[in-house]
Amino acid sequence: MSAGGSPRLSPFMPDILLVEDKESLRRVLRLTLENAGYSVTEAADAREAINEIGRVPHKVVLTDLRMPNGTGLDVLRAARAADGDVPVIVMTAYGSIDEAVQAMKDGAHDFLQKPVDSNHLLLLVGRALEQSRLRTENMLLREEWSKRYGFPRIIGESEAIKKAVAETQRVAQTEATVLLLGESGTGKELFARAVHHLSNRRDKPLVAINCAAIPETLIENELFGHERGAFTGAGDRRLGKFELASGGTVFLDEIGELPLAVQGKLLRVIEERCVDRIGGRAPVPVDVRVVAATNKDLRKAVDEGEFRGDLFFRLAVFPIEIPPLRERGEDVVLLAHHFAAQLGKEMRGREATLSDASVAALHTRRWPGNVRELENAIERACILADSSTLEPRDLGLIAETSEAQLSGFDASGTLSEATDRMVQIVERRKIAEALAAHDGNKTRAAETLGVSYKTLLTKIKDYSL
């Protein structure tokens, strides 16, 4: 405060753009605001205000509704175009309430009715500035969160995973379509979420769709929606996943399982940014980014006629290879420690640890189910273990010598008969491990084992699994 008791103005105080064509009222409003400690920039009409908005940013815009060279609605739209978050307060005389309501619909923060009450004016300006401050603070917090925690669960120090992370960080800031490649269980969905989280679309929806889990007869409806009466039972319009994700990201997992008939429609959505609802009369514009993932060799699928080549090249604008766990070296131990601490705390109230024997045993397994299988093993161990220290037996990783493996084996009969019995032992164990790694998902287990789904079902029945 100055010696006379009025606030000392500072160039760092919040700046308010005051737009009012009547000079006497403009002077009164300016003095009211300056006496409250705000710095004020004046404009005498809409054209002058719009020029000022284009020149420098302002924290709040306070504008009359009716004035020469345009209206307050023109000022409002110019302010919102320059900065979609700037609060705009519209002043209106008695009799033009409808226009004030229209201003609110166009995004005005609030409106003041003339004659202006000074206390009410200062109250609305204070609220608008507080809203602006909180919005800026939240934006800074989101940026800081992205920097620190953009990949909260992508654990690893191997060069392969560092490369995938670096590529994800780089492409996330763009609008490019991303194709995530890798075996089942490597964490492709986690990377898809990272792409969304680090993008400018982070505040909009991320909609994930498992293309393999939806029947072929329903997948088009699930993706693009339908109009009322489009088919028997369509009593109401239903929006598809692409419309529900408007402004955000669509994650198409298992994209290699998408039927050929739907692939062409997906290609059109990506290229033209519009969807055709089933039974619809006109395309519906959509603004989404597409991230896809697959554990299939899509190039081979294209050669075999199982996947459209034009869609493949449209999806593979920026491919990212997610490495299998067996190629990540010491990341196995890092991940195991992470899961033990996290799951132990969630399930037992305290972090679990790994014994030296468990750490050694972790290296003896190739982890065909990748990170998902490792996490499942740690979760099971946290349930079964007698203490907070997880041992190999808790993890199902008891190392057996070749003598121990053979001690109970029936080697009688011919070589062929003995070999058949050993093969059955190995097959049963491998199938059980694959099913455990994929939470009982037979399709993924068959892919891991390299056999057909039908063959796997037959062997599950034969071995009573």
Side-chain angles (χ1 to χ4, degrees), residues 49-229:
I50 292 171
N51 290 337
E52 176 66 18
I53 288 168
R55 189 178 66 86
V56 293
H58 300 81
K59 295 289 181 66
V60 175
V61 176
L62 177 63
T63 181
D64 191 13
L65 191 57
R66 295 181 178 177
M67 54 187 153
N69 298 319
T71 68
L73 292 179
D74 297 324
V75 175
L76 167 64
R77 290 160 187 154
R80 299 284 292 178
D83 179 0
D85 292 330
V86 63
V88 179
I89 301 172
V90 175
M91 297 180 292
T92 177
Y94 178 78
S96 56
I97 296 299
D98 290 343
E99 292 172 292
V101 171
Q102 182 59 49
M104 296 293 288
K105 290 181 179 178
D106 286 349
H109 172 75
D110 214 326
F111 72 94
L112 271 169
Q113 190 169 335
K114 294 180 179 180
V116 175
D117 178 80
S118 297
N119 291 329
H120 193 202
L121 167 66
L122 295 177
L123 175 65
L124 291 186
V125 169
R127 286 178 178 173
L129 286 167
E130 178 65 10
Q131 174 182 302
S132 180
R133 183 190 69 79
L134 290 174
R135 186 180 291 111
T136 301
E137 184 178 278
N138 288 338
M139 188 181 303
L140 293 172
L141 285 172
R142 283 198 303 269
E143 290 176 357
E144 181 65 20
W145 181 268
S146 294
K147 290 176 183 176
R148 292 189 181 185
Y149 308 110
F151 297 91
R153 294 187 61 211
I154 298 181
I155 310 296
E157 295 295 332
S158 64
E159 289 305 315
I161 202 67
K162 284 182 178 179
K163 180 176 181 290
V165 167
E167 290 175 346
T168 301
Q169 290 173 320
R170 180 168 296 182
V171 75
Q173 300 298 323
T174 73
E175 287 293 302
T177 302
V178 179
L179 180 61
L180 300 169
L181 305 168
E183 298 175 6
S184 295
T186 50
K188 295 187 291 296
E189 182 171 352
L190 183 60
F191 276 84
R193 294 185 180 280
V195 170
H196 176 75
H197 175 81
L198 295 176
S199 75
N200 295 328
R201 297 174 178 268
R202 67 177 68 90
D203 294 326
K204 298 297 183 179
L206 168 64
V207 177
I209 305 153
N210 188 333
C211 299
I214 304 172
E216 184 172 345
T217 54
L218 300 178
I219 186 68
E220 182 181 351
N221 187 30
E222 192 72 17
L223 293 177
F224 311 131
H226 65 254
E227 294 287 355
R228 181 179 180 181

Side-chain angles (χ1 to χ4, degrees), residues 114-408:
K114 294 180 179 180
V116 175
D117 178 80
S118 297
N119 291 329
H120 193 202
L121 167 66
L122 295 177
L123 175 65
L124 291 186
V125 169
R127 286 178 178 173
L129 286 167
E130 178 65 10
Q131 174 182 302
S132 180
R133 183 190 69 79
L134 290 174
R135 186 180 291 111
T136 301
E137 184 178 278
N138 288 338
M139 188 181 303
L140 293 172
L141 285 172
R142 283 198 303 269
E143 290 176 357
E144 181 65 20
W145 181 268
S146 294
K147 290 176 183 176
R148 292 189 181 185
Y149 308 110
F151 297 91
R153 294 187 61 211
I154 298 181
I155 310 296
E157 295 295 332
S158 64
E159 289 305 315
I161 202 67
K162 284 182 178 179
K163 180 176 181 290
V165 167
E167 290 175 346
T168 301
Q169 290 173 320
R170 180 168 296 182
V171 75
Q173 300 298 323
T174 73
E175 287 293 302
T177 302
V178 179
L179 180 61
L180 300 169
L181 305 168
E183 298 175 6
S184 295
T186 50
K188 295 187 291 296
E189 182 171 352
L190 183 60
F191 276 84
R193 294 185 180 280
V195 170
H196 176 75
H197 175 81
L198 295 176
S199 75
N200 295 328
R201 297 174 178 268
R202 67 177 68 90
D203 294 326
K204 298 297 183 179
L206 168 64
V207 177
I209 305 153
N210 188 333
C211 299
I214 304 172
E216 184 172 345
T217 54
L218 300 178
I219 186 68
E220 182 181 351
N221 187 30
E222 192 72 17
L223 293 177
F224 311 131
H226 65 254
E227 294 287 355
R228 181 179 180 181
F231 49 83
T232 304
D236 295 295
R237 168 188 290 171
R238 183 190 181 202
L239 301 185
K241 291 293 195 290
F242 272 82
E243 286 186 79
L244 294 174
S246 180
T249 305
V250 168
F251 173 47
L252 298 172
D253 197 9
E254 307 269 18
I255 188 70
E257 304 299 326
L258 197 65
L260 276 169
V262 183
Q263 290 177 24
K265 296 181 180 180
L266 173 61
L267 178 63
R268 181 168 184 256
V269 172
I270 296 174
E271 291 184 336
E272 300 183 14
R273 292 183 173 271
C274 62
V275 298
D276 290 308
R277 300 191 192 117
I278 298 173
R281 297 183 178 180
V284 180
V286 292
D287 173 26
V288 295
R289 180 189 194 168
V290 173
V291 178
T294 183
N295 56 16
K296 280 190 170 183
D297 184 343
L298 288 187
R299 288 185 182 274
K300 182 180 178 182
V302 170
D303 293 339
E304 295 175 350
E306 297 177 356
F307 201 85
R308 290 181 61 124
D310 47 4
L311 178 58
F312 168 70
F313 290 112
R314 193 64 186 82
L315 290 171
V317 174
F318 197 96
I320 299 177
E321 189 77 36
I322 313 300
L325 190 54
R326 62 181 174 277
E327 295 178 6
R328 293 177 55 181
E330 287 299 316
D331 286 356
V332 174
V333 176
L334 290 175
L335 284 162
H337 282 301
H338 169 74
F339 291 138
Q342 181 185 61
L343 295 170
K345 193 169 184 178
E346 289 177 4
M347 303 175 70
R348 304 172 68 110
R350 58 183 297 186
E351 295 183 357
T353 59
L354 299 167
S355 68
D356 292 341
S358 290
V359 171
L362 288 170
H363 290 293
T364 66
R365 184 169 176 78
R366 287 180 58 81
W367 301 105
N370 294 295
V371 179
R372 184 187 294 114
E373 180 186 2
L374 176 61
E375 184 177 11
N376 290 346
I378 299 293
E379 182 175 4
R380 178 177 180 276
C382 288
I383 295 172
L384 297 176
D386 295 327
S387 70
S388 59
T389 301
L390 307 181
E391 299 292 345
R393 64 177 178 275
D394 303 319
L395 297 165
L397 296 173
I398 299 177
E400 297 176 326
T401 65
S402 57
E403 290 81 9
Q405 291 173 341
L406 294 172
S407 61

Side-chain angles (χ1 to χ4, degrees), residues 24-67:
S24 58
L25 177 57
R26 189 169 71 248
R27 184 171 63 252
V28 170
L29 294 174
R30 176 175 59 79
L31 290 173
T32 299
L33 293 167
E34 288 182 345
N35 286 335
Y38 301 117
S39 62
V40 179
T41 301
E42 297 182 37
D45 59 31
R47 183 186 302 160
E48 186 180 341
I50 292 171
N51 290 337
E52 176 66 18
I53 288 168
R55 189 178 66 86
V56 293
H58 300 81
K59 295 289 181 66
V60 175
V61 176
L62 177 63
T63 181
D64 191 13
L65 191 57
R66 295 181 178 177
M67 54 187 153

